[in-house]
Amino acid sequence: MSYQGKQIDKDFEASGLSRLTTVDWQNENHQRSIAASLVQGVYALKNARQKNQQVCQAWWASFDFQLTDKLTDDSDSSIFGAVYEFIPKPKNNHSIEAPTYVIAFRGTMIRKETWARDMKLNIKIMKNKLHRSSCIEKAIQAVKSKASVKGATIWLAGHSMGSAIAMLAGKDMAKTGKFLASYLFNPPFVAYPMKSGILVATTFMITAAATVFVRDNQERQHSENVFNDLSKWAPKLYLHPSDPICSGYILYFKLLEKMQRYGVGFVGRLAAPNSLRACVTTSHTPKRNSHDLSQWFTDDSVNSHPKMYRHN
């Protein structure tokens, strides 16, 4: 499928996404590329608005999506998300597996118009308080609105800070029994790990020990119920081992695997009741580009064998 609109933006052309002319919606690599393109579309919308320029629609129109809504931050009126609707052309095949809507969220932008607000949101992420922001309220409202459409299938997608927003929205829906396909690129891990992973392991084990000895039976039962709801949701995490923002997830899942291997997986469940199953894909792009969304556009630097992590 090719976008027949105005001149294709040179950045879209250089991204390699224009080579994806025939989409197989059951192909996970195609899904990843399109989800990343739609997230880049949010960045493009924000850039075009700041520069008072016309936005390149190729990031979404190339794959038969239409922009139906822009999500703006109440604090500075900046665009932090977008809602896309899939409207296929009659000639295109494999569209039955495509999502009805994709709700995508951008990451931090180092621009004078958005820098201060984005940094405040990043601090909220580090303090586990992002759920108290107006962005989350708007994101969840948008997701619930589209999820209420009869027969609709929803994808969530985000990069960096946007992945944190998408993850919270996905968790909120999972608690209601709706498990949305989610594509989370370089999601921030709250406890930034030391190179050896000592910080992740130590923090996790201290939390586990405190949980085992402090929680009463009623609180443990509530945590188990929450965990059981969330454990049915398996977002797709796209991580780079050299990216300090997201690499903690890799160490975290490896630690859980070790705990399960030694028969103490239940401690992990108590220590992290909101943990999820996750399908993890990694990249081997150069370290200097380890946090770039562009590494996920094509298959060039993506490791071909994703791994499923889960609690037992």
Side-chain angles (χ1 to χ4, degrees), residues 1 22-26 86 88 91-98:
M1 58 184 69
T22 302
V23 175
D24 176 359
W25 288 100
Q26 292 182 313
F86 182 66
K91 64 179 181 179
N92 292 332
N93 298 322
H94 306 295
S95 60
I96 192 170
E97 295 89 3

Side-chain angles (χ1 to χ4, degrees), residues 13-257:
E13 192 69 32
S15 72
L17 286 163
S18 60
R19 301 198 301 264
L20 186 53
T21 56
T22 302
V23 175
D24 176 359
W25 288 100
Q26 292 182 313
N27 184 308
E28 292 191 359
N29 290 329
H30 290 189
Q31 294 172 8
R32 182 204 69 242
S33 294
I34 293 170
S37 185
L38 296 176
V39 173
Q40 185 61 39
V42 185
Y43 282 107
L45 286 165
K46 183 69 184 74
N47 274 326
R49 182 172 179 176
Q50 284 183 346
K51 298 177 181 178
N52 197 26
Q53 296 176 346
Q54 186 174 4
V55 67
C56 170
Q57 300 179 27
W59 297 106
W60 57 87
S62 297
F63 307 110
D64 291 347
F65 283 93
Q66 289 187 8
L67 176 68
T68 62
D69 197 12
K70 303 171 189 175
L71 304 179
T72 57
D73 193 323
D74 291 337
S75 297
D76 61 2
S77 299
S78 64
I79 298 171
F80 71 91
V83 180
Y84 303 100
E85 182 177 1
F86 182 66
I87 302 180
K89 298 178 178 64
K91 64 179 181 179
N92 292 332
N93 298 322
H94 306 295
S95 60
I96 192 170
E97 295 89 3
T100 312
Y101 300 101
V102 178
I103 304 173
F105 306 95
R106 67 167 176 85
T108 302
M109 296 182 70
I110 309 300
R111 303 282 192 277
K112 64 179 182 180
E113 296 87 352
T114 58
W115 184 86
R117 175 57 175 168
D118 284 359
M119 287 300 104
K120 287 180 180 179
L121 291 175
N122 284 323
I123 291 172
K124 284 182 179 290
I125 291 172
M126 294 174 67
K127 293 182 176 181
N128 274 318
K129 294 182 178 180
L130 184 62
H131 59 283
R132 298 180 183 177
S133 70
S134 59
C135 288
I136 291 299
E137 294 177 7
K138 280 198 169 184
I140 291 176
Q141 287 173 3
V143 173
K144 286 183 175 179
S145 173
K146 297 308 178 186
S148 66
V149 177
K150 186 176 181 180
T153 55
I154 315 295
W155 282 10
L156 300 178
H159 174 238
S160 192
M161 177 182 72
S163 284
I165 295 174
M167 183 174 287
L168 282 178
K171 284 183 178 180
D172 189 80
M173 295 303 296
K175 291 175 183 177
T176 68
K178 294 184 178 180
F179 310 108
L180 307 184
S182 302
Y183 301 82
L184 309 180
F185 303 100
N186 301 86
F189 188 80
V190 174
Y192 294 147
M194 296 179 182
K195 188 172 183 180
S196 64
I198 293 175
L199 180 58
V200 171
T202 303
T203 302
F204 189 86
M205 293 306 296
I206 290 174
T207 304
T211 303
V212 170
F213 289 108
V214 172
R215 282 186 177 160
D216 58 28
N217 290 334
Q218 184 176 3
E219 188 176 356
R220 287 188 193 180
Q221 184 60 51
H222 172 72
S223 296
E224 285 290 307
N225 292 339
V226 172
F227 174 84
N228 289 333
D229 289 338
L230 292 177
S231 64
K232 299 172 186 176
W233 180 49
K236 296 180 180 179
L237 274 55
Y238 298 91
L239 312 172
H240 194 295
S242 295
D243 177 14
I245 304 297
C246 70
S247 60
Y249 274 108
I250 297 174
L251 295 172
Y252 169 75
F253 284 122
K254 286 182 177 179
L255 178 61
L256 287 180
E257 273 194 329

